[in-house]
Amino acid sequence: MPNTVLITGSSTGIGKETALYFYKKGWNVVATMRNPDKRKTELHETKMDIVHLDVLEINSIKKAIRYTLDKFGKIDVFVNNAGYAVRGAFELSTREQIEKQYNTNVLGLMDAVREIIPIFRKQKHGIIINVASIGGRITVPFYSIYNSTKWAIEGFSEGLHYELKPFNIKVKIIEPGLIKTDFYDRSMVNIQNEEIDVYNKYFEKSLKKTMAMEPSASHPSLIAKIIYKAATDNRGKLRYSKGKNSWLVLFLRKILPDTLFFKIIKAST
Ligand SMILES: NC(=O)c1ccc[n+]([C@@H]2O[C@H](COP(=O)([O-])OP(=O)(O)OC[C@H]3O[C@@H](n4cnc5c(N)ncnc54)[C@H](OP(=O)(O)O)[C@@H]3O)[C@@H](O)[C@H]2O)c1
């Protein structure tokens, strides 16, 4: 019997490529998205199941899980991929922007995990794959809110992996580097405040430097492959980092004292 995977945020980018990759490997794929009827994607050209799931609506998470179990009898892997970033100076942000960012990236992910654990426990197996970011291990200016959500996913997943091990449930963290998706365009929420301009110069300089890195961004299929590896390698490994120069950045983070590492980040962002 083929394995079954359920993926959140499959309309574009990493989620879409992951759905396609598992599908081509012969898995039962339930690709979920906020607007499955409005947004026509490559996935709609296949026979895979496309189901509504908004991580801000817990009922839609329950329904998508129920749909998958009714159709395929089990879920082997649950990929928490849905997410976006709020970008800009923290001082200028609003509570609403932060709440939505946390509700989506952290609490929505936790809601999904809380729903899937009892299923995996009854099955006596299952793999939870949480998409964090290299920005969950390091930080860059003007992404403090987003970075903090990804650091939260890192801490949550690491703690959870101990708790679930006795039930043969694995937790995996995916840490993409710079990936070419809708993330930096339509999915990005820019913090704006016309009255305070003290951050403008630094923000624009930093943005320019980040944009200059764009050509080196990797295709999302790179992350789809690493998610597949995490789902199938049969290892207890927790973290999977991938993206151009990600290994170097994480290596430097590990070996350098904070002061030196921060200088490098400051010079390149
Ligand atoms: N691209 C990068 O460089 C990068 C690097 C590190 C980590 N990541 C992480 O990778 C994940 C995927 O991002 P991406 O790069 O593939 O960007 P993307 O192309 O913008 O995809 C983001 C996906 O999340 C979905 N989403 C947003 N809010 C949602 C909600 N409330 N409920 C359900 N789905 C929701 C979007 O759905 P709609 O189509 O409905 O908007 C979209 O399918 C994110 O968690 C992101 O933080 C990306």
Side-chain angles (χ1 to χ4, degrees), residues 9 11-12 14 34 54-55 81 132 146 150 177 179 181 186-187:
S11 61
T12 54
I14 293 169
R34 284 192 285 197
D54 183 330
V55 297
N81 163 73
Y146 172 72
K150 294 298 183 178
I179 312 296
T181 65
R186 74 170 179 95
S187 298

Side-chain angles (χ1 to χ4, degrees), residues 8-16 32-35 39 53-57 80-85 100 103-105 131-135 146 149-150 153 174-188 217 220 223:
T8 69
S10 308
S11 61
T12 54
I14 293 169
K16 186 185 84 178
T32 71
M33 49 189 82
R34 284 192 285 197
N35 299 302
R39 187 178 283 280
L53 189 158
D54 183 330
V55 297
L56 299 178
E57 297 164 13
N80 277 301
N81 163 73
Y84 73 97
K100 189 163 183 206
N103 283 340
T104 306
N105 290 12
V131 178
S133 169
I134 190 172
Y146 172 72
T149 66
K150 294 298 183 178
I153 294 173
I174 307 296
E175 300 169 337
L178 196 62
I179 312 296
K180 208 173 286 176
T181 65
D182 290 357
F183 183 79
Y184 294 94
D185 305 315
R186 74 170 179 95
S187 298
M188 185 70 68
I223 305 304

Side-chain angles (χ1 to χ4, degrees), residues 68-218:
T68 311
L69 289 173
D70 287 348
K71 175 130 192 205
F72 299 114
K74 63 176 179 132
I75 302 173
D76 300 281
V77 176
F78 193 107
V79 182
N80 277 301
N81 163 73
Y84 73 97
V86 171
R87 172 173 65 189
F90 175 77
E91 185 191 341
L92 313 182
S93 67
T94 63
R95 193 168 212 288
E96 289 68 35
Q97 285 168 332
I98 298 171
E99 267 179 9
K100 189 163 183 206
Q101 175 79 116
Y102 266 80
N103 283 340
T104 306
N105 290 12
V106 184
L107 299 183
L109 178 145
M110 286 182 174
D111 282 340
V113 169
R114 199 188 302 102
E115 291 302 319
I116 202 66
I117 289 174
I119 312 289
F120 282 176
R121 223 169 14 77
K122 275 182 212 135
Q123 290 180 172
K124 298 191 169 42
H125 81 273
I127 304 180
I128 296 166
I129 300 184
N130 293 334
V131 178
S133 169
I134 190 172
R137 303 282 293 284
I138 65 156
T139 60
V140 290
F142 302 111
Y143 285 88
S144 65
I145 301 167
Y146 172 72
N147 282 156
S148 68
T149 66
K150 294 298 183 178
W151 282 55
I153 294 173
E154 290 274 349
F156 169 62
S157 308
E158 189 176 305
L160 192 69
H161 103 283
Y162 295 113
E163 258 172 62
L164 299 183
K165 199 164 184 271
F167 305 108
N168 195 28
I169 302 170
K170 290 192 177 107
V171 180
K172 309 266 179 170
I173 307 170
I174 307 296
E175 300 169 337
L178 196 62
I179 312 296
K180 208 173 286 176
T181 65
D182 290 357
F183 183 79
Y184 294 94
D185 305 315
R186 74 170 179 95
S187 298
M188 185 70 68
V189 172
N190 284 302
I191 295 169
Q192 275 159 346
N193 184 322
E194 316 265 285
E195 283 154 37
I196 301 175
D197 62 3
V198 290
Y199 293 100
N200 290 4
K201 221 168 136 193
Y202 185 16
F203 179 72
E204 271 149 32
K205 198 171 140 206
S206 177
L207 193 61
K208 228 181 193 172
K209 283 188 183 172
T210 323
M211 289 306 154
M213 290 181 206
E214 232 184 68
S216 68
S218 310

